Coordinates of all heavy atoms in Angstrom, one line a residue:
M1 N 97.9 119.4 34.0 CA 98.0 120.5 33.1 C 97.0 121.6 33.5 O 96.0 121.2 34.1 CB 97.7 120.0 31.7 CG 96.3 119.7 31.4 SD 96.0 119.1 29.7 CE 95.4 117.5 30.1
L2 N 97.3 122.8 33.1 CA 96.3 123.9 33.4 C 95.4 124.1 32.3 O 95.9 124.2 31.1 CB 97.1 125.2 33.7 CG 96.2 126.4 34.0 CD1 95.5 126.3 35.3 CD2 97.1 127.7 34.1
I3 N 94.1 124.1 32.5 CA 93.1 124.4 31.5 C 92.4 125.7 31.9 O 92.0 125.9 33.0 CB 92.1 123.2 31.5 CG1 92.7 121.9 31.3 CG2 91.0 123.5 30.5 CD1 93.4 121.7 29.9
L4 N 92.2 126.6 30.9 CA 91.5 127.8 31.1 C 90.1 127.5 30.4 O 90.1 127.2 29.3 CB 92.2 129.0 30.5 CG 91.6 130.3 30.8 CD1 91.8 130.7 32.3 CD2 92.2 131.4 29.9
I5 N 89.0 127.7 31.2 CA 87.7 127.5 30.6 C 87.0 128.8 30.6 O 86.9 129.5 31.7 CB 86.9 126.4 31.5 CG1 87.7 125.1 31.5 CG2 85.5 126.3 30.9 CD1 87.1 124.1 32.5
T6 N 86.4 129.1 29.5 CA 85.6 130.3 29.4 C 84.2 129.9 28.8 O 84.1 128.9 28.1 CB 86.2 131.4 28.5 OG1 86.2 130.9 27.1 CG2 87.6 131.8 28.9
Y7 N 83.2 130.5 29.3 CA 81.9 130.2 28.8 C 81.0 131.4 28.7 O 81.2 132.4 29.3 CB 81.2 129.1 29.7 CG 81.1 129.5 31.2 CD1 80.0 130.2 31.6 CD2 82.1 129.1 32.0 CE1 79.9 130.5 33.0 CE2 82.0 129.5 33.4 CZ 80.9 130.1 33.8 OH 80.8 130.5 35.2
D8 N 80.0 131.2 27.8 CA 78.9 132.2 27.7 C 77.6 131.5 27.6 O 77.4 130.7 26.6 CB 79.2 133.1 26.4 CG 78.3 134.3 26.3 OD1 77.6 134.6 27.3 OD2 78.1 134.8 25.2
V9 N 76.8 131.7 28.6 CA 75.5 131.0 28.6 C 74.4 132.0 28.4 O 74.3 133.0 29.1 CB 75.3 130.2 29.9 CG1 73.9 129.6 30.0 CG2 76.4 129.1 30.1
A10 N 73.5 131.8 27.4 CA 72.4 132.7 27.1 C 71.3 132.6 28.2 O 70.5 131.7 28.2 CB 71.8 132.4 25.8
T11 N 71.4 133.5 29.1 CA 70.4 133.5 30.2 C 69.1 134.0 29.9 O 68.1 133.9 30.6 CB 70.9 134.3 31.4 OG1 71.2 135.7 31.0 CG2 72.2 133.7 32.0
S12 N 68.9 134.6 28.7 CA 67.6 135.1 28.2 C 66.8 134.0 27.6 O 65.6 134.2 27.3 CB 67.8 136.2 27.2 OG 68.5 135.7 26.1
T13 N 67.3 132.8 27.4 CA 66.6 131.7 26.9 C 66.0 130.9 28.0 O 66.4 131.0 29.2 CB 67.5 130.8 26.0 OG1 68.5 130.3 26.8 CG2 68.1 131.6 24.8
F14 N 65.1 130.0 27.7 CA 64.5 129.1 28.7 C 65.5 128.2 29.3 O 66.3 127.6 28.6 CB 63.4 128.2 28.0 CG 62.8 127.3 29.0 CD1 61.9 127.7 29.9 CD2 63.1 125.9 28.9 CE1 61.3 126.8 30.8 CE2 62.6 125.0 29.8 CZ 61.6 125.5 30.8
G15 N 65.6 128.3 30.6 CA 66.5 127.4 31.4 C 68.0 128.0 31.4 O 68.9 127.3 31.9
G16 N 68.2 129.1 30.8 CA 69.5 129.7 30.7 C 70.2 130.0 32.1 O 71.3 129.6 32.3
S17 N 69.4 130.5 33.0 CA 70.0 130.8 34.3 C 70.4 129.5 35.0 O 71.4 129.5 35.7 CB 69.0 131.6 35.2 OG 68.8 132.9 34.6
K18 N 69.5 128.5 34.9 CA 69.8 127.2 35.5 C 71.1 126.6 34.9 O 72.0 126.1 35.6 CB 68.6 126.3 35.3 CG 68.8 125.0 36.1 CD 67.5 124.2 35.9 CE 67.6 122.9 36.7 NZ 66.4 122.1 36.6
R19 N 71.2 126.7 33.6 CA 72.4 126.2 32.9 C 73.7 126.9 33.3 O 74.7 126.3 33.6 CB 72.3 126.2 31.4 CG 71.3 125.3 30.8 CD 71.5 125.2 29.3 NE 71.5 126.5 28.6 CZ 70.5 127.2 28.2 NH1 69.3 126.8 28.5 NH2 70.7 128.3 27.5
L20 N 73.6 128.2 33.5 CA 74.7 129.1 33.9 C 75.2 128.6 35.3 O 76.4 128.5 35.5 CB 74.3 130.5 33.9 CG 75.3 131.5 34.4 CD1 76.5 131.6 33.5 CD2 74.7 132.9 34.6
R21 N 74.2 128.4 36.2 CA 74.6 128.0 37.6 C 75.3 126.6 37.5 O 76.2 126.3 38.2 CB 73.4 128.0 38.5 CG 72.9 129.3 38.9 CD 71.9 129.3 40.0 NE 70.7 128.5 39.7 CZ 69.6 129.0 39.0 NH1 69.6 130.3 38.6 NH2 68.6 128.2 38.7
K22 N 74.7 125.7 36.7 CA 75.3 124.3 36.6 C 76.7 124.4 36.0 O 77.6 123.6 36.5 CB 74.4 123.5 35.8 CG 73.1 123.0 36.5 CD 72.4 122.0 35.5 CE 71.2 121.4 36.3 NZ 70.6 120.4 35.4
V23 N 76.9 125.2 35.0 CA 78.3 125.3 34.4 C 79.2 125.8 35.4 O 80.3 125.3 35.6 CB 78.2 126.1 33.1 CG1 79.7 126.5 32.7 CG2 77.5 125.4 32.0
A24 N 78.9 126.9 36.1 CA 79.8 127.5 37.1 C 80.1 126.5 38.3 O 81.2 126.3 38.7 CB 79.1 128.7 37.7
K25 N 79.0 125.8 38.7 CA 79.3 124.8 39.8 C 80.2 123.7 39.3 O 81.1 123.2 40.1 CB 77.9 124.2 40.3 CG 78.1 123.2 41.4 CD 76.9 123.1 42.2 CE 77.0 122.0 43.3 NZ 78.3 121.6 43.7
K26 N 80.0 123.2 38.1 CA 80.8 122.1 37.6 C 82.3 122.6 37.5 O 83.2 121.9 37.9 CB 80.3 121.6 36.3 CG 81.0 120.4 35.7 CD 81.1 119.2 36.6 CE 79.7 118.7 37.0 NZ 79.8 117.6 38.0
C27 N 82.5 123.8 37.0 CA 83.8 124.3 36.9 C 84.5 124.5 38.3 O 85.7 124.2 38.5 CB 83.8 125.7 36.2 SG 83.5 125.5 34.4
Q28 N 83.7 124.9 39.3 CA 84.2 125.0 40.7 C 84.6 123.7 41.2 O 85.5 123.6 42.1 CB 83.2 125.7 41.6 CG 83.0 127.2 41.4 CD 82.0 127.8 42.3 OE1 80.9 127.2 42.5 NE2 82.2 129.0 42.7
D29 N 84.0 122.6 40.8 CA 84.4 121.3 41.2 C 85.8 120.9 40.8 O 86.5 120.1 41.4 CB 83.4 120.2 40.7 CG 82.1 120.3 41.3 OD1 81.9 120.9 42.4 OD2 81.1 119.7 40.8
Y30 N 86.3 121.6 39.8 CA 87.6 121.2 39.2 C 88.7 122.3 39.4 O 89.8 122.1 39.1 CB 87.5 120.9 37.7 CG 86.8 119.6 37.4 CD1 85.4 119.5 37.4 CD2 87.6 118.4 37.2 CE1 84.8 118.3 37.1 CE2 87.0 117.2 37.0 CZ 85.6 117.1 36.9 OH 85.0 115.9 36.7
G31 N 88.3 123.5 39.7 CA 89.2 124.6 39.7 C 88.7 125.9 40.4 O 87.8 125.8 41.2
Q32 N 89.3 127.0 40.1 CA 89.0 128.3 40.7 C 88.5 129.3 39.7 O 89.0 129.3 38.6 CB 90.1 128.8 41.5 CG 91.3 129.3 40.6 CD 92.3 130.0 41.4 OE1 92.0 130.6 42.5 NE2 93.5 130.1 40.9
R33 N 87.5 130.1 40.1 CA 87.0 131.2 39.3 C 88.0 132.3 39.3 O 88.5 132.7 40.4 CB 85.7 131.7 39.8 CG 85.1 132.8 38.9 CD 83.8 133.3 39.6 NE 82.8 132.4 39.9 CZ 81.8 132.1 39.1 NH1 81.6 132.8 38.0 NH2 80.9 131.2 39.4
V34 N 88.4 132.8 38.1 CA 89.4 133.9 38.1 C 88.7 135.2 37.5 O 89.2 136.3 37.6 CB 90.7 133.6 37.3 CG1 91.5 132.5 38.1 CG2 90.4 133.1 35.9
Q35 N 87.6 135.0 36.8 CA 86.8 136.1 36.3 C 85.4 135.6 36.3 O 85.1 134.4 36.6 CB 87.2 136.4 34.8 CG 88.6 137.0 34.6 CD 88.7 138.4 35.0 OE1 87.8 139.2 34.7 NE2 89.8 138.8 35.7
N36 N 84.4 136.4 36.0 CA 83.0 136.0 36.1 C 82.7 134.7 35.3 O 82.1 133.8 35.9 CB 82.0 137.0 35.6 CG 81.9 138.2 36.6 OD1 82.2 138.0 37.7 ND2 81.5 139.3 36.1
S37 N 83.1 134.5 34.1 CA 82.9 133.3 33.4 C 84.2 132.6 32.9 O 84.3 132.1 31.8 CB 82.0 133.6 32.1 OG 80.7 134.1 32.5
V38 N 85.2 132.7 33.8 CA 86.5 132.1 33.4 C 87.0 131.4 34.6 O 87.0 131.9 35.8 CB 87.5 133.3 33.1 CG1 88.9 132.7 32.7 CG2 87.0 134.1 31.9
F39 N 87.5 130.1 34.4 CA 88.0 129.3 35.4 C 89.3 128.7 35.0 O 89.6 128.4 33.9 CB 87.1 128.1 35.7 CG 85.9 128.4 36.6 CD1 84.8 129.0 36.0 CD2 85.9 128.1 37.9 CE1 83.7 129.3 36.8 CE2 84.8 128.4 38.7 CZ 83.7 129.0 38.2
E40 N 90.2 128.6 36.0 CA 91.5 127.9 35.9 C 91.4 126.5 36.6 O 91.0 126.5 37.7 CB 92.6 128.7 36.5 CG 93.0 129.9 35.8 CD 94.1 130.7 36.5 OE1 94.5 130.3 37.7 OE2 94.6 131.7 35.9
C41 N 91.7 125.5 35.9 CA 91.5 124.1 36.4 C 92.8 123.4 36.1 O 93.3 123.3 35.0 CB 90.4 123.4 35.8 SG 88.8 124.2 35.9
V42 N 93.4 122.8 37.2 CA 94.5 121.9 37.0 C 94.0 120.5 37.0 O 93.5 120.0 38.1 CB 95.6 122.1 38.1 CG1 96.7 121.1 38.0 CG2 96.1 123.5 38.1
V43 N 94.1 119.8 35.9 CA 93.5 118.5 35.7 C 94.5 117.6 35.0 O 95.4 118.1 34.3 CB 92.2 118.5 35.0 CG1 91.1 119.2 35.8 CG2 92.3 119.2 33.6
D44 N 94.3 116.3 35.1 CA 95.1 115.4 34.2 C 94.2 115.1 33.0 O 93.1 115.6 32.9 CB 95.5 114.1 35.0 CG 94.3 113.3 35.5 OD1 93.2 113.3 34.8 OD2 94.5 112.6 36.5
A45 N 94.8 114.3 32.1 CA 94.1 114.1 30.8 C 92.7 113.4 31.0 O 91.7 113.8 30.3 CB 95.0 113.2 29.9
T46 N 92.6 112.5 31.9 CA 91.3 111.8 32.1 C 90.3 112.8 32.7 O 89.1 112.8 32.3 CB 91.5 110.6 33.0 OG1 92.5 109.7 32.5 CG2 90.3 109.8 33.3
E47 N 90.7 113.5 33.7 CA 89.8 114.5 34.3 C 89.3 115.5 33.2 O 88.2 116.0 33.2 CB 90.5 115.2 35.4 CG 90.7 114.4 36.7 CD 91.5 115.1 37.7 OE1 92.5 115.8 37.4 OE2 91.2 114.9 38.9
F48 N 90.2 115.9 32.4 CA 89.9 116.9 31.3 C 88.8 116.4 30.4 O 87.8 117.1 30.1 CB 91.1 117.3 30.5 CG 90.8 118.3 29.5 CD1 90.1 119.5 29.7 CD2 91.2 118.1 28.2 CE1 89.8 120.4 28.7 CE2 90.9 119.0 27.1 CZ 90.2 120.1 27.4
V49 N 88.9 115.1 30.0 CA 87.9 114.5 29.1 C 86.6 114.5 29.8 O 85.5 114.8 29.2 CB 88.4 113.1 28.6 CG1 87.3 112.4 27.9 CG2 89.6 113.2 27.7
K50 N 86.6 114.1 31.1 CA 85.4 114.0 31.9 C 84.7 115.3 32.1 O 83.5 115.5 31.9 CB 85.7 113.3 33.2 CG 84.5 113.2 34.1 CD 84.9 112.5 35.4 CE 83.6 112.5 36.3 NZ 83.9 112.2 37.7
L51 N 85.5 116.3 32.4 CA 85.0 117.7 32.6 C 84.4 118.2 31.3 O 83.3 118.8 31.4 CB 86.2 118.6 33.1 CG 85.8 120.1 33.2 CD1 84.7 120.4 34.2 CD2 87.1 120.8 33.7
K52 N 85.1 118.1 30.2 CA 84.6 118.6 29.0 C 83.3 118.0 28.6 O 82.3 118.7 28.2 CB 85.7 118.3 27.9 CG 85.5 119.1 26.7 CD 86.7 119.1 25.7 CE 87.5 117.8 25.6 NZ 88.4 117.7 24.5
K53 N 83.1 116.7 28.8 CA 81.9 116.0 28.5 C 80.8 116.5 29.4 O 79.7 116.8 29.0 CB 82.0 114.5 28.6 CG 80.7 113.8 28.3 CD 80.8 112.3 28.5 CE 79.5 111.6 28.2 NZ 78.2 112.3 28.1
E54 N 81.1 116.6 30.7 CA 80.1 117.1 31.6 C 79.6 118.5 31.3 O 78.4 118.8 31.3 CB 80.6 117.1 33.1 CG 80.8 115.7 33.6 CD 81.5 115.6 34.9 OE1 82.2 116.6 35.3 OE2 81.5 114.5 35.6
L55 N 80.5 119.4 30.9 CA 80.1 120.7 30.5 C 79.3 120.8 29.2 O 78.3 121.5 29.1 CB 81.3 121.6 30.5 CG 82.0 121.9 31.8 CD1 83.3 122.7 31.6 CD2 81.0 122.7 32.7
V56 N 79.7 120.0 28.2 CA 79.0 120.0 27.0 C 77.6 119.4 27.2 O 76.7 119.9 26.5 CB 79.8 119.2 25.9 CG1 79.0 118.9 24.7 CG2 81.1 119.9 25.5
D57 N 77.5 118.5 28.1 CA 76.1 117.9 28.3 C 75.2 118.9 29.0 O 74.0 118.8 28.9 CB 76.2 116.7 29.2 CG 76.8 115.5 28.5 OD1 76.9 115.5 27.2 OD2 77.2 114.5 29.1
I58 N 75.8 119.9 29.7 CA 75.0 120.9 30.4 C 74.5 122.0 29.5 O 73.3 122.4 29.5 CB 75.7 121.6 31.6 CG1 76.0 120.6 32.7 CG2 75.0 122.8 32.1 CD1 77.0 121.1 33.7
I59 N 75.3 122.5 28.6 CA 75.0 123.7 27.8 C 74.0 123.3 26.6 O 73.9 122.2 26.3 CB 76.3 124.4 27.2 CG1 76.9 123.5 26.2 CG2 77.2 124.8 28.3 CD1 77.9 124.2 25.3
D60 N 73.4 124.4 26.1 CA 72.6 124.3 24.9 C 73.5 124.8 23.7 O 73.8 126.0 23.6 CB 71.4 125.1 25.0 CG 70.5 125.1 23.8 OD1 70.9 124.7 22.7 OD2 69.3 125.6 23.9
T61 N 74.0 123.9 22.9 CA 75.0 124.3 21.9 C 74.4 125.2 20.8 O 75.2 125.8 20.1 CB 75.6 123.0 21.2 OG1 74.6 122.2 20.7 CG2 76.5 122.3 22.2
D62 N 73.1 125.4 20.8 CA 72.5 126.3 19.8 C 72.7 127.8 20.3 O 72.7 128.7 19.4 CB 71.1 126.0 19.6 CG 70.8 124.7 18.9 OD1 71.7 124.3 18.1 OD2 69.8 124.1 19.1
V63 N 72.8 128.0 21.6 CA 72.8 129.4 22.1 C 74.0 129.7 23.0 O 74.3 130.8 23.3 CB 71.5 129.8 22.7 CG1 70.4 129.9 21.7 CG2 71.1 128.9 23.8
D64 N 74.6 128.6 23.6 CA 75.7 128.8 24.6 C 77.0 128.5 23.9 O 77.0 127.8 22.9 CB 75.5 127.9 25.8 CG 74.1 128.1 26.5 OD1 73.6 129.2 26.4 OD2 73.7 127.1 27.1
S65 N 78.1 128.8 24.6 CA 79.4 128.5 24.1 C 80.4 128.2 25.2 O 80.3 128.7 26.3 CB 80.0 129.6 23.2 OG 80.3 130.7 23.9
L66 N 81.3 127.3 24.9 CA 82.4 126.9 25.8 C 83.7 127.0 25.1 O 83.8 126.7 23.9 CB 82.3 125.5 26.3 CG 81.3 125.1 27.3 CD1 81.2 123.6 27.4 CD2 81.8 125.6 28.7
R67 N 84.8 127.5 25.7 CA 86.1 127.5 25.1 C 87.1 126.9 26.2 O 87.0 127.2 27.3 CB 86.5 128.9 24.8 CG 85.7 129.4 23.6 CD 86.1 130.8 23.3 NE 87.4 130.8 22.6 CZ 87.6 130.8 21.3 NH1 86.5 130.8 20.5 NH2 88.8 130.9 20.7
F68 N 88.0 126.0 25.7 CA 89.0 125.4 26.5 C 90.4 125.8 26.0 O 90.6 125.6 24.8 CB 88.8 123.9 26.5 CG 87.5 123.4 27.0 CD1 86.5 123.1 26.1 CD2 87.3 123.1 28.4 CE1 85.3 122.7 26.6 CE2 86.1 122.7 28.8 CZ 85.1 122.4 27.9
Y69 N 91.2 126.3 26.9 CA 92.6 126.6 26.5 C 93.5 125.8 27.3 O 93.5 125.8 28.5 CB 92.9 128.1 26.8 CG 92.0 129.1 26.1 CD1 90.8 129.5 26.6 CD2 92.4 129.6 24.8 CE1 90.0 130.4 25.9 CE2 91.6 130.5 24.1 CZ 90.4 130.9 24.7 OH 89.6 131.7 24.0
R70 N 94.3 124.9 26.6 CA 95.2 124.0 27.3 C 96.6 124.7 27.4 O 97.3 124.9 26.5 CB 95.4 122.8 26.5 CG 94.1 122.0 26.5 CD 94.3 120.7 25.6 NE 93.0 120.6 25.0 CZ 92.8 119.8 23.9 NH1 93.8 119.2 23.3 NH2 91.6 119.7 23.4
L71 N 96.9 125.1 28.7 CA 98.2 125.8 28.9 C 99.3 124.9 29.3 O 100.4 125.3 29.5 CB 98.0 126.9 30.0 CG 97.0 128.0 29.6 CD1 96.8 129.0 30.7 CD2 97.4 128.7 28.3
G72 N 99.0 123.6 29.5 CA 100.0 122.6 29.7 C 100.5 122.5 31.2 O 99.9 123.1 32.1
K73 N 101.6 121.8 31.4 CA 102.1 121.6 32.7 C 103.1 122.7 33.1 O 103.3 123.0 34.3 CB 102.9 120.2 32.7 CG 102.0 119.1 32.6 CD 102.7 117.8 32.7 CE 101.8 116.6 32.5 NZ 102.5 115.3 32.5
N74 N 103.7 123.4 32.1 CA 104.6 124.4 32.4 C 104.0 125.8 32.2 O 104.5 126.7 31.5 CB 105.9 124.3 31.5 CG 106.6 123.0 31.7 OD1 106.7 122.6 32.9 ND2 107.0 122.4 30.7
Y75 N 102.8 126.0 32.9 CA 102.0 127.2 32.7 C 102.5 128.3 33.6 O 102.1 129.5 33.4 CB 100.6 126.9 33.0 CG 100.3 126.4 34.5 CD1 100.1 127.4 35.5 CD2 100.4 125.1 34.8 CE1 99.9 127.0 36.8 CE2 100.1 124.7 36.1 CZ 99.9 125.7 37.1 OH 99.7 125.3 38.4
H76 N 103.3 128.1 34.6 CA 103.7 129.1 35.5 C 104.3 130.4 34.9 O 104.0 131.5 35.3 CB 104.7 128.6 36.6 CG 104.1 127.5 37.4 ND1 103.2 127.7 38.4 CD2 104.3 126.1 37.3 CE1 102.9 126.6 38.9 NE2 103.5 125.6 38.3
N77 N 105.0 130.2 33.8 CA 105.6 131.4 33.1 C 104.7 131.9 32.0 O 105.0 132.9 31.3 CB 106.9 131.0 32.4 CG 108.0 130.6 33.5 OD1 107.9 131.2 34.6 ND2 108.8 129.7 33.2
K78 N 103.5 131.3 31.8 CA 102.6 131.7 30.8 C 101.4 132.6 31.3 O 100.7 133.1 30.5 CB 102.0 130.5 30.0 CG 103.0 129.7 29.3 CD 102.4 128.5 28.7 CE 103.4 127.6 28.1 NZ 102.8 126.3 27.5
V79 N 101.3 132.6 32.6 CA 100.2 133.4 33.2 C 100.7 134.6 34.0 O 101.6 134.5 34.8 CB 99.4 132.5 34.2 CG1 98.3 133.2 34.9 CG2 98.9 131.2 33.5
E80 N 100.2 135.8 33.6 CA 100.5 137.0 34.4 C 99.3 137.6 34.9 O 98.2 137.5 34.3 CB 101.2 138.0 33.4 CG 102.6 137.6 32.9 CD 103.2 138.7 32.1 OE1 103.7 139.7 32.7 OE2 103.1 138.6 30.9
H81 N 99.3 138.2 36.1 CA 98.2 138.8 36.7 C 98.5 140.2 37.1 O 99.6 140.4 37.7 CB 97.7 137.9 37.9 CG 96.6 138.6 38.6 ND1 95.3 138.4 38.3 CD2 96.6 139.4 39.7 CE1 94.5 139.1 39.1 NE2 95.3 139.7 40.0
F82 N 97.6 141.1 36.9 CA 97.7 142.5 37.3 C 96.4 142.9 37.9 O 95.3 142.5 37.4 CB 98.1 143.4 36.1 CG 99.4 143.1 35.5 CD1 99.4 142.3 34.4 CD2 100.6 143.5 36.0 CE1 100.6 141.9 33.7 CE2 101.8 143.2 35.4 CZ 101.8 142.4 34.2
G83 N 96.4 143.7 39.0 CA 95.2 144.2 39.5 C 94.7 143.4 40.7 O 95.5 142.6 41.3
S84 N 93.5 143.6 41.1 CA 92.9 143.0 42.3 C 92.6 141.6 42.1 O 92.7 141.0 41.0 CB 91.7 143.8 42.7 OG 90.7 143.7 41.7
K85 N 92.2 141.0 43.2 CA 91.7 139.6 43.2 C 92.8 138.6 42.8 O 92.7 137.8 41.9 CB 90.5 139.4 42.4 CG 89.3 140.2 42.8 CD 88.1 139.8 42.0 CE 86.9 140.7 42.4 NZ 85.7 140.4 41.6
E86 N 94.0 138.8 43.4 CA 95.1 137.8 43.1 C 94.6 136.4 43.4 O 94.0 136.2 44.5 CB 96.3 138.2 44.0 CG 97.5 137.3 43.8 CD 98.1 137.5 42.4 OE1 98.1 138.6 41.8 OE2 98.6 136.5 41.9
S87 N 94.9 135.5 42.5 CA 94.4 134.1 42.7 C 95.5 133.4 43.6 O 96.6 133.8 43.7 CB 94.2 133.5 41.4 OG 95.5 133.4 40.7
F88 N 95.0 132.3 44.1 CA 95.9 131.4 44.9 C 96.4 130.3 43.9 O 95.9 130.0 42.9 CB 95.2 130.8 46.1 CG 94.0 130.0 45.7 CD1 94.0 128.7 45.5 CD2 92.7 130.6 45.7 CE1 92.9 127.9 45.2 CE2 91.6 129.9 45.4 CZ 91.7 128.6 45.1
N89 N 97.5 129.7 44.3 CA 98.1 128.6 43.6 C 97.2 127.4 43.7 O 97.1 126.8 44.8 CB 99.5 128.3 44.0 CG 100.2 127.3 43.2 OD1 99.6 126.5 42.5 ND2 101.5 127.3 43.2
V90 N 96.6 126.9 42.7 CA 95.7 125.8 42.8 C 96.3 124.4 43.1 O 95.7 123.5 43.4 CB 94.8 125.6 41.5 CG1 93.9 126.8 41.3 CG2 95.7 125.4 40.3
E91 N 97.7 124.4 43.0 CA 98.4 123.2 43.3 C 98.9 123.1 44.7 O 99.4 122.0 45.1 CB 99.5 123.0 42.3 CG 99.1 122.8 40.9 CD 100.2 122.5 39.9 OE1 101.0 123.4 39.6 OE2 100.3 121.3 39.5
E92 N 98.8 124.2 45.4 CA 99.2 124.2 46.8 C 98.0 123.8 47.7 O 96.9 124.0 47.4 CB 99.8 125.5 47.2 CG 101.1 125.9 46.6 CD 101.6 127.3 47.0 OE1 100.9 128.0 47.8 OE2 102.7 127.6 46.5
P93 N 98.3 123.2 48.9 CA 97.2 122.9 49.8 C 96.5 124.2 50.2 O 97.1 125.3 50.4 CB 97.9 122.4 51.1 CG 99.2 121.9 50.6 CD 99.6 122.8 49.4
L94 N 95.1 124.1 50.3 CA 94.3 125.2 50.7 C 94.0 125.1 52.2 O 93.5 124.1 52.6 CB 93.0 125.3 49.9 CG 92.0 126.4 50.1 CD1 92.7 127.7 49.8 CD2 90.8 126.2 49.3
I95 N 94.4 126.2 53.0 CA 94.2 126.2 54.4 C 93.2 127.2 54.7 O 93.3 128.4 54.4 CB 95.5 126.4 55.1 CG1 96.5 125.3 54.8 CG2 95.3 126.4 56.6 CD1 97.9 125.5 55.3
F96 N 92.1 126.9 55.4 CA 91.1 127.8 55.9 C 91.4 128.4 57.2 O 91.8 127.7 58.1 CB 89.7 127.2 55.8 CG 89.2 126.9 54.4 CD1 89.4 125.6 53.9 CD2 88.6 127.9 53.7 CE1 88.9 125.3 52.6 CE2 88.2 127.6 52.4 CZ 88.3 126.3 51.9

């Protein structure tokens, strides 16, 4: 299933910059960045539960926020892109 993750980490608080880097790195482990604080991740149900827990453990829930949007398995017709930085298909092999 495709999960869209958005986050806002308060970098003005103690440890905020470090939390921001950790959240971004964890999201990169599971998917691709499509905007500054937005990631698309194709995961199964077990991976989603694990990812969610890992991210919640990183943030400070008093000042930071996370949002998860479940677009499901048939997401291809639900996502439209306009403009620069066209993303790659996360389900196809990545060749460097």
